[in-house]
Amino acid sequence: KALNTIRSASPCIQKGVQDNIEVSGDKAVFTRTHEGKTAYVAISKGAAYSQTFSNVKSGSYIEYSSGSDGSYTKKEVNVSSSHTLSVPANGFAFIEPK
């Protein structure tokens, strides 16, 4: 539910070309690129985990993370070449450029 709400407001997530990094078991890690902007996405259908993305263009991003009650959090983060996301159990986390 939360991801659907975000998707409608995010061109990268909604329309971006997907490049899978890892899709196995309960884990999906990928990027989505649209009009020169890239979102870095990690999803869990099981246990929580941490995911580090390397070679991220430095700058200001918005980080989203799902909550256990169908909500999500949103905060601004500054990225300098890599970024680690904490992916909640049965949830998602991603960053996209501001």
Side-chain angles (χ1 to χ4, degrees):
K1 180 179 173 181
L3 189 53
N4 286 335
T5 301
I6 296 166
R7 183 180 294 131
S8 65
S10 170
C12 281
I13 298 299
Q14 184 180 45
K15 302 175 185 176
V17 174
Q18 185 164 315
D19 182 21
N20 292 334
I21 296 169
E22 179 182 354
V23 179
S24 63
D26 292 340
K27 189 177 188 180
V29 180
F30 54 90
T31 61
R32 291 192 67 117
T33 302
H34 179 69
E35 296 183 350
K37 294 183 177 182
T38 301
Y40 298 83
V41 184
I43 299 173
S44 173
K45 293 190 301 179
Y49 66 95
S50 291
Q51 178 65 46
T52 299
F53 291 94
S54 300
N55 300 317
V56 177
K57 184 178 177 182
S58 296
S60 294
Y61 288 75
I62 302 296
E63 181 177 305
Y64 296 86
S65 184
S66 62
S68 60
D69 61 355
S71 65
Y72 66 91
T73 59
K74 175 181 171 181
K75 66 180 179 181
E76 186 174 330
V77 294
N78 289 312
V79 174
S80 181
S81 77
S82 70
H83 188 71
T84 300
L85 293 171
S86 296
V87 185
N90 300 304
F92 66 86
F94 73 93
I95 58 170
E96 69 175 354
K98 278 186 72 173

